[in-house]
Amino acid sequence: VVWQYPPVIEVYNVREHGRRHFRTLEYTSNMSLCVHEVTGEPYPDRVNGILAMSAGIPMTTCTHLPSLIISRALSSEIGVQIHIPERFLAGVLPMALMENYVFWQSEDDNLIGYEKRNHDTENGSDDEGLPTSGPTNRLNITLVKDKGDDKVGFCNSKASALIQRVPIVDVIE
């Protein structure tokens, strides 16, 4: 992916997971403009005459690995959801969101991010055995797809997304 302004190059690898193809971020020419931290030691690089810290290896190859699809059906209203591992959202969503949420894709291709639970004590509960803290919000990520189809099946369709944070109110009975 090449961005004209500011000039940035991002290289993604296409990996198969559960008979679907996903992009994984392998290289960025400017770490300060990338929404995810690329593995590897940063090194100075020039893109369009601008010096920046690059990271990753642009010519990375991947081997085919076994995969497992995790799906669930919480209710008829939500429908079936499929778990999307973090590695397939790298470079697409900011790292701060990926560290704090677990993402599930609905049948309409939209994503829901459920906040990861944090525990204040070693065993994760208070004196009564109840969780010390629970989720306080959820992310709704609505995909807006372009009209064109992906004819080759390698993540080439275009879309934009609307990310909304929705507060969760605990009901105490």
Side-chain angles (χ1 to χ4, degrees):
V1 178
V2 178
W3 301 95
Q4 184 176 1
Y5 184 80
V8 176
I9 299 170
E10 293 179 348
V11 176
Y12 291 82
N13 220 337
V14 178
R15 295 184 183 245
E16 186 267 336
H17 179 76
R19 298 185 183 171
R20 292 177 64 188
H21 293 95
F22 292 94
R23 291 180 180 184
T24 56
L25 182 63
E26 300 291 341
Y27 167 83
T28 181
S29 65
N30 192 335
M31 289 178 53
S32 64
L33 298 174
C34 187
V35 295
H36 187 77
E37 186 174 318
V38 180
T39 57
E41 290 294 318
Y43 53 91
D45 200 0
R46 276 190 197 278
V47 174
N48 200 20
I50 297 174
L51 183 64
M53 293 301 285
S54 297
I57 302 170
M59 301 304 286
T60 303
T61 59
C62 62
T63 58
H64 297 287
L65 300 172
S67 60
L68 175 69
I69 296 178
I70 300 171
S71 64
R72 66 183 186 181
L74 295 177
S75 68
S76 58
E77 180 183 322
I78 295 175
V80 177
Q81 293 179 316
I82 297 173
H83 179 257
I84 304 295
E86 288 182 15
R87 66 184 175 273
F88 300 125
L89 298 173
V92 177
L93 288 179
M95 191 171 178
L97 295 180
M98 292 177 17
E99 289 174 343
N100 294 309
Y101 293 89
V102 177
F103 293 94
W104 294 82
Q105 188 170 33
S106 302
E107 292 171 326
D108 60 0
D109 290 337
N110 293 331
L111 295 171
I112 298 177
Y114 295 96
E115 193 172 18
K116 295 178 182 176
R117 293 187 81 118
N118 295 323
H119 300 290
D120 296 332
T121 62
E122 288 180 8
N123 64 359
S125 61
D126 62 9
D127 294 336
E128 299 174 4
L130 298 172
T132 54
S133 64
T136 58
N137 58 66
R138 179 182 74 224
L139 293 179
N140 290 340
I141 303 175
T142 306
L143 296 179
V144 181
K145 300 176 189 176
D146 285 352
K147 302 267 189 254
D149 291 335
D150 180 11
K151 305 265 189 247
V152 294
F154 287 105
C155 310
N156 289 325
S157 58
K158 295 181 181 180
S160 56
L162 172 66
I163 302 175
Q164 296 173 307
R165 186 169 53 187
V166 179
I168 296 174
V169 179
D170 288 333
V171 178
I172 300 174
E173 296 181 29

